[in-house]
């Protein structure tokens, strides 16, 4: 079952808003780092931060796509609210991380395997990320079926995001990176609890 015309219209506005949030996040990331963050030479600690930013941007991008899909398909107001918060928060964080990489003068994409910076080099998808087959199932689902599928995909996705954020807390020391990592842990742990509660009701 496809999305309704009204849902498609709301999605277009959300996508437009998401691009605006990337731009704002990029500007914020550049401003914060230029006013006291670290730029120039990349130390051992900041190599982990660069890897974290690159990998978390990919991780967040899939979460944003999943949230946009469920926003159009769910009939559950609580889940729609959670999805909207994910879209807005994580898209803005993508913009901030792009700003960090630009100010650090490093490419957005690197040559290392995903998660190599945390001692867990991974071929293919990072741990917890949805496969193409899972994403296609979510695109085709609707209603309670979509709700259940989204929750089953997003909980491990968030758990792996928390693991990455905890890893950069241990390996980095740039204040803005540390602050975002802690914000990711706090938000995603809260959302896991909300999603688990919803799953028990479905």
């Amino acid at each position: 079952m496809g999305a309704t015309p009204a849902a498609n219209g709301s999605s277009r506005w959300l996508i437009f808003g998401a691009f605006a949030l990337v731009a704002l996040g990029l500007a914020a990331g550049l401003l914060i780092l230029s006013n006291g963050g670290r730029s120039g030479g990349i130390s051992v600690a900041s190599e982990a931060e660069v890897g974290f930013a690159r990998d978390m941007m990919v991780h967040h991008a899939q979460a944003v796509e999943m949230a946009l899909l469920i926003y159009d398909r769910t009939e559950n107001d609580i889940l729609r609210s959670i999805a909207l918060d994910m879209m807005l928060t994580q898209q803005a964080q993508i913009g901030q991380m792009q700003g960090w990489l630009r100010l650090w003068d490093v490419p957005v994409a690197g040559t290392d395997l995903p998660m190599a910076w945390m001692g867990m080099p991974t071929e293919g998808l990072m741990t917890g990320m949805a496969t193409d087959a899972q994403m296609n199932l979510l695109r085709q689902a609707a209603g309670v079926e979509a709700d259940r599928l989204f929750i089953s995909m997003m909980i491990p996705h968030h758990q792996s995001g928390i693991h990455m954020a905890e890893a950069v807390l241990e390996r980095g020391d740039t204040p803005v990176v540390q602050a975002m990592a802690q914000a990711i842990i706090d938000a995603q742990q809260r959302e896991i609890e909300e999603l688990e509660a919803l799953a028990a009701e479905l």
Side-chain angles (χ1 to χ4, degrees):
M1 181 182 298
T4 65
N8 284 330
S10 66
S11 295
R12 283 193 289 271
W13 280 110
L14 286 169
I15 292 168
F16 176 80
F19 279 115
L21 283 169
V22 169
L24 288 171
L26 175 60
L30 289 168
L31 179 63
I32 291 169
L33 281 175
S34 63
N35 288 335
R38 197 168 50 205
S39 59
I42 303 299
S43 69
V44 172
S46 62
E47 286 174 2
E49 292 162 349
V50 168
F52 167 78
R54 287 170 172 161
D55 287 353
M56 191 57 78
M57 283 166 50
V58 174
H59 204 266
H60 270 12
Q62 188 183 65
V64 169
E65 181 181 1
M66 291 166 64
L68 183 59
L69 287 170
I70 197 61
Y71 188 88
D72 278 349
R73 286 156 178 76
T74 187
E75 298 171 6
N76 187 299
D77 290 339
I78 296 174
L79 190 54
R80 184 176 286 112
S81 177
I82 292 171
L84 180 60
D85 186 63
M86 285 182 192
M87 283 186 278
L88 297 178
T89 300
Q90 296 197 30
Q91 198 66 55
Q93 289 175 343
I94 288 171
Q96 288 179 269
M97 288 183 280
Q98 288 176 340
W100 300 347
L101 295 171
R102 182 172 297 182
L103 206 56
W104 286 332
D105 196 26
V106 295
V108 171
T111 57
D112 291 339
L113 289 173
M115 303 175 74
W117 60 273
M118 54 190 293
M120 297 175 57
T122 303
E123 296 275 1
L125 291 174
M126 287 179 276
T127 304
M129 289 190 66
T131 64
D132 288 342
Q134 287 176 311
M135 293 296 292
N136 285 333
L137 285 174
L138 184 59
R139 292 184 186 102
Q140 296 163 11
V144 176
E145 178 190 357
D147 295 350
R148 291 186 178 127
L149 183 57
F150 173 82
I151 291 170
S152 71
M153 293 162 63
M154 188 55 74
I155 288 176
H157 198 279
H158 271 5
Q159 288 169 337
S160 66
I162 289 171
H163 186 203
M164 291 166 62
E166 289 173 340
V168 83
L169 283 178
E170 296 173 358
R171 292 165 172 79
D173 59 11
T174 299
V176 291
V177 180
Q178 297 279 292
M180 183 185 287
Q182 189 60 57
I184 288 171
I185 292 168
D186 294 343
Q188 298 196 2
Q189 186 58 56
R190 183 184 68 251
E191 287 170 353
I192 286 172
E193 293 168 3
E194 293 170 344
L195 291 171
E196 288 175 338
L198 277 174
E201 296 174 4
L202 295 177

